[in-house]
């Protein structure tokens, strides 16, 4: 890859990073809070914001791996590593979406699942989770992912 192309790619990535920061600031600043009828303050939908952040971060990571894969001066080993990481990222996204659909089928109004290299976090919209509900969620995640209970964290949030 020529020096000019590298500069263009780097400048584009910096511009996207700045844009993400600006969007994060404007969407999460104190003025974007809404007061409900009880005069207590609630923030914009946690689950939607989390999904948007996750999507933005994933898109930036995909762009980074694509630039490595498409780079003319990139070694074969670096391309293979980038392709493997990209495949793992896509598989994680698929697992997150599948788990979120299954969890919603249990009757939860919303949830967010994040799949990392070692840990899986599940956050459901609920007043609280009793032992039976927690066990049901853990069993579902274990069955779908093959991970042990020690690698899964389940939490409820009532917004």
């Amino acid at each position: 890859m020529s020096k000019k192309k590298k500069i263009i790619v780097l400048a584009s990535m910096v511009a996207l990073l700045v844009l993400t920061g600006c969007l994060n600031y404007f969407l999460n600043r104190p003025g974007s809070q809404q007061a409900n009828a009880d005069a207590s303050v609630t923030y914009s939908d946690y689950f939607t914001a989390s999904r948007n952040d996750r999507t933005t971060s994933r898109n930036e990571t995909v762009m980074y791996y694509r630039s490595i894969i498409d780079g003319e001066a990139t070694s074969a080993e670096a391309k293979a590593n980038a392709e493997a990481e990209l495949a793992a990222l896509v598989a994680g996204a698929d697992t997150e979406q599948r788990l979120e659909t299954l969890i919603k089928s249990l009757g939860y109004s919303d949830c967010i699942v994040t799949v990392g290299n070692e840990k899986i976090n599940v956050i459901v919209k609920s007043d609280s989770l009793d032992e039976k509900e927690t066990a049901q969620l853990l069993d579902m995640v274990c069955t779908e992912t093959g991970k042990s209970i020690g690698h899964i964290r389940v939490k409820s949030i009532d917004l």
Side-chain angles (χ1 to χ4, degrees):
M1 184 186 296
S2 71
K3 190 172 185 177
K4 185 177 181 180
K5 287 182 182 179
K6 288 180 184 179
I7 291 172
I8 291 171
V9 169
L10 183 60
S12 299
M13 292 178 83
V14 169
L16 284 172
L17 183 61
V18 170
L19 177 64
T20 302
C22 290
L23 284 173
N24 187 29
Y25 170 76
F26 287 114
L27 293 175
N28 294 318
R29 67 179 180 206
S32 67
Q33 298 172 352
Q34 302 170 354
N36 64 14
D38 298 326
S40 63
V41 178
T42 60
Y43 294 91
S44 62
D45 189 14
Y46 169 80
F47 296 98
T48 302
S50 293
R51 275 191 205 87
N52 289 340
D53 290 345
R54 183 178 66 187
T55 301
T56 301
S57 175
R58 187 172 289 135
N59 288 342
E60 289 174 1
T61 305
V62 166
M63 276 185 26
Y64 171 71
Y65 288 136
R66 285 278 173 219
S67 69
I68 292 172
I69 293 168
D70 296 338
E72 295 172 10
T74 306
S75 69
E77 182 181 349
K79 283 184 182 186
N81 288 339
E83 288 171 348
E85 291 292 327
L86 185 58
L89 183 71
V90 170
D94 181 53
T95 301
E96 290 169 351
Q97 186 175 22
R98 189 173 67 250
L99 286 170
E100 287 175 3
T101 301
L102 288 170
I103 291 168
K104 287 178 184 177
S105 75
L106 294 175
Y108 295 99
S109 61
D110 209 349
C111 67
I112 184 121
V113 177
T114 55
V115 175
N117 291 337
E118 294 295 321
K119 301 280 185 186
I120 298 174
N121 293 305
V122 178
I123 302 172
V124 295
K125 187 173 185 178
S126 175
D127 294 338
S128 65
L129 294 173
D130 61 25
E131 288 181 23
K132 181 182 175 186
E133 293 169 326
T134 302
Q136 186 179 30
L137 289 168
L138 286 170
D139 180 57
M140 179 186 294
V141 175
C142 288
T143 302
E144 287 296 315
T145 63
K147 296 273 188 184
S148 67
I149 290 176
H151 292 105
I152 302 165
R153 192 169 96 177
V154 175
K155 184 176 180 177
S156 67
I157 294 179
D158 182 32
L159 300 173

